[in-house]
């Protein structure tokens, strides 16, 4: 009797629901895709990640009878078709793929139904899955050439993956209908088996097709510069040249009361244009940009003269020692005293 009990305990511990196996397989695909380090794969990575989470949730619900998961499963299911669509949209030119509301609405609709009318969730999920399958088939109607952002060598495979993904959504919808009928005819006795099979066919197909399609995604190229962008860049360069002349030739940085407004008046350029030009071209804010000139002057004074550090600080335009030391370390990674010791010319 004790041996039988032990054997049952071992079997219960070793039991791994089928959805967990699917989750493991998809996770291996996820890791392999992640190692490619391509930004264009991110939509497909999110899709495979959702399939993994949904597989684990189904395994917990029907394999280990964790009933609390039943509130999460409908929302996860509602998010799957939009993610499939969003993923394949990344292979289509933006002008044809700009239907963003379709990518965010279903999970919120399902969540609202979960709170207000839970009895109609299953029917709503069937409509969502079939509806998105039809949208995918419509996208696939243009053929492999319709996937403009896919590599030419992989466009055919990506198109087949698109068709299979649409079929997988239809299969999932059919299993949802079968689950509804199982509750009506057999009081849900066959539901665990149906849900596991649906998870096996639906999520595995979606995950594998996402992997195939992701490999077809070409790396993103820098966007082409428009005439407006070129005009802004030219204006930024002109503004920065004016500012640099004021700072280097007229030593305006030495003014310890210098403000952006005062600099704008001297340069005869709006303050916003100065700030934008410095941010875009130098990658700094105005204060850091001005302080770079001040630190360069302080370094010159420390290297070429014997004046005290405090005097060099004031002569270069700084008012407070704390700000001077902080900015000096930002630029040189050293304190003023140490920098002077290491950079003073050797005495003859």
């Amino acid at each position: 009797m004790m041996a039988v009990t032990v054997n049952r305990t071992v079997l219960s511990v070793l039991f791994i629901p089928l959805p967990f196996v699917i989750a493991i397989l998809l996770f291996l695909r996820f890791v392999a895709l992640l190692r490619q380090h391509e930004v264009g794969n991110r939509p497909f990575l999110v899709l495979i990640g959702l399939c993994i989470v949904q597989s684990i949730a189904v395994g917990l619900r029907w394999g280990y009878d964790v009933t609390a998961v039943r509130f999460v499963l409908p929302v996860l299911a509602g998010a799957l078709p939009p993610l499939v669509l969003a993923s394949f949209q990344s292979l289509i030119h933006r002008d044809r793929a700009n239907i963003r509301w379709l990518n965010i609405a279903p999970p919120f609709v399902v969540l609202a139904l979960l709170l207000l009318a839970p009895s109609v969730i299953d029917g709503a999920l069937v409509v969502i899955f079939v509806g998105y399958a039809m949208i995918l088939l419509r996208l696939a109607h243009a053929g492999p050439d319709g996937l403009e952002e896919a590599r030419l060598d992989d466009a055919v495979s990506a198109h087949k993956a698109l068709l299979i993904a649409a079929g997988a959504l239809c299969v999932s919808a059919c299993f949802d209908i079968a689950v509804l009928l199982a509750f009506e005819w057999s009081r849900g006795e066959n539901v665990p088996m149906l849900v596991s099979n649906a998870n096996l066919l639906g999520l595995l197909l979606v995950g594998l097709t996402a992997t195939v399609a992701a490999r077809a995604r070409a790396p993103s190229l820098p966007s082409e510069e428009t005439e407006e962008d070129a005009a802004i860049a030219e204006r930024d360069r002109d503004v920065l040249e004016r500012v640099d002349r004021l700072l280097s030739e007229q030593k305006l940085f030495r003014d310890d009361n210098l403000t952006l407004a005062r600099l704008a008046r001297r340069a005869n350029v709006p303050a916003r244009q100065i700030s934008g030009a410095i941010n875009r071209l130098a990658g700094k804010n105005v204060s850091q940009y001005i302080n770079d000139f001040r630190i360069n002057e302080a370094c010159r004074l420390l290297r070429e003269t014997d004046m005290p550090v405090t005097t060099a600080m004031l002569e270069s335009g700084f008012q407070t020692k704390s700000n001077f030391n902080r900015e000096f370390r930002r630029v040189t990674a050293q304190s003023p005293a140490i920098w002077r010791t290491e950079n003073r010319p050797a005495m003859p």
Side-chain angles (χ1 to χ4, degrees):
M1 182 66 179
M2 183 176 296
V4 173
T5 303
V6 171
N7 288 336
R8 287 179 177 176
T9 303
V10 172
L11 288 174
S12 63
V13 171
L14 294 179
F15 170 67
I16 301 178
L18 183 59
F20 280 14
V21 177
I22 304 303
I24 294 172
L25 294 175
L26 292 178
F27 179 75
L28 295 177
R29 292 278 183 168
F30 180 89
V31 172
L33 192 59
L34 188 63
R35 289 177 177 174
Q36 295 181 16
H37 300 293
E38 292 185 8
V39 176
N41 290 338
R42 287 179 182 173
F44 293 100
L45 284 172
V46 175
L47 174 59
I48 297 173
L50 177 65
C51 291
I52 294 172
V53 173
Q54 190 174 352
S55 295
I56 294 173
V58 171
L60 291 174
R61 174 67 181 92
W62 301 108
Y64 294 108
D65 198 26
V66 180
T67 56
V69 181
R70 73 181 187 274
F71 300 108
V72 180
L73 280 172
V75 180
L76 293 177
L80 183 64
L83 264 179
V84 174
L85 176 61
S87 298
F88 281 96
Q89 281 178 335
S90 68
L91 299 178
I92 300 172
H93 196 272
R94 291 182 180 179
D95 293 340
R96 295 202 299 120
N98 191 20
I99 43 178
R100 295 180 181 177
W101 65 270
L102 285 174
N103 299 336
I104 60 175
F108 292 100
V109 171
V110 173
L111 181 60
L113 292 177
L114 186 64
L115 298 175
L116 302 176
S119 60
V120 301
I121 286 180
D122 291 329
L125 286 175
V126 171
V127 172
I128 291 173
F129 273 70
V130 173
Y132 275 81
M134 295 301 101
I135 296 174
L136 290 174
L137 290 175
R138 183 179 178 184
L139 293 179
H141 181 70
D145 291 341
L147 305 178
E148 302 100 328
E149 301 296 333
R151 295 183 178 93
L152 292 177
D153 292 342
D154 296 323
V156 174
S157 297
H159 184 258
K160 291 180 180 178
L162 175 58
L163 293 173
I164 294 173
L169 294 184
C170 290
V171 169
S172 296
C174 291
F175 272 103
D176 284 339
I177 295 174
V179 169
L180 287 173
L181 295 177
F183 275 110
E184 289 292 330
W185 296 342
S186 61
R187 297 181 181 180
E189 293 179 1
N190 299 321
V191 165
M193 180 187 66
L194 288 172
V195 172
S196 296
N197 289 334
N199 189 68
L200 172 64
L201 294 175
L203 296 179
L204 184 58
L205 283 175
V206 170
L208 296 181
T209 55
T211 305
V212 173
R215 289 172 178 169
R217 181 71 165 86
S220 300
L221 296 175
S223 58
E224 295 182 0
E225 189 180 63
T226 64
E227 292 184 3
E228 183 180 358
D229 293 334
I232 293 175
E234 181 64 27
R235 187 190 65 187
D236 286 347
R237 287 190 290 270
D238 180 65
V239 169
L240 205 57
E241 286 178 3
R242 293 191 187 189
V243 171
D244 285 350
R245 281 197 300 269
L246 288 172
L247 295 175
S248 58
E249 296 177 6
Q250 301 185 26
K251 307 295 183 183
L252 196 59
F253 62 84
R254 288 182 174 176
D255 181 1
D256 55 11
N257 291 315
L258 183 63
T259 63
L260 177 56
R262 183 175 299 183
L263 178 61
R265 287 194 296 270
R266 292 290 298 272
N268 196 25
V269 174
R272 183 176 297 180
Q273 288 186 17
I274 293 179
S275 176
I278 291 175
N279 289 337
R280 285 186 287 270
L281 296 183
K284 302 174 183 177
N285 59 44
V286 176
S287 177
Q288 289 175 331
Y289 193 75
I290 302 300
N291 284 340
D292 285 349
F293 281 85
R294 290 173 171 170
I295 294 300
N296 287 335
E297 176 66 8
C299 288
R300 186 188 68 81
L301 296 173
L302 292 174
R303 182 178 59 250
E304 298 177 2
T305 71
D306 293 325
M307 66 174 56
V309 172
T310 302
T311 305
M313 174 195 79
L314 297 173
E315 287 291 326
S316 59
F318 287 97
Q319 286 184 311
T320 63
K321 196 167 185 179
S322 59
N323 188 33
F324 173 64
N325 288 334
R326 182 177 62 253
E327 291 298 294
F328 200 97
R329 287 183 179 276
R330 177 181 66 82
V331 176
T332 68
Q334 292 179 317
S335 68
I338 294 176
W339 188 93
R340 166 178 257 177
T341 300
E342 294 184 358
N343 290 274
R344 284 294 294 270
M347 297 297 293

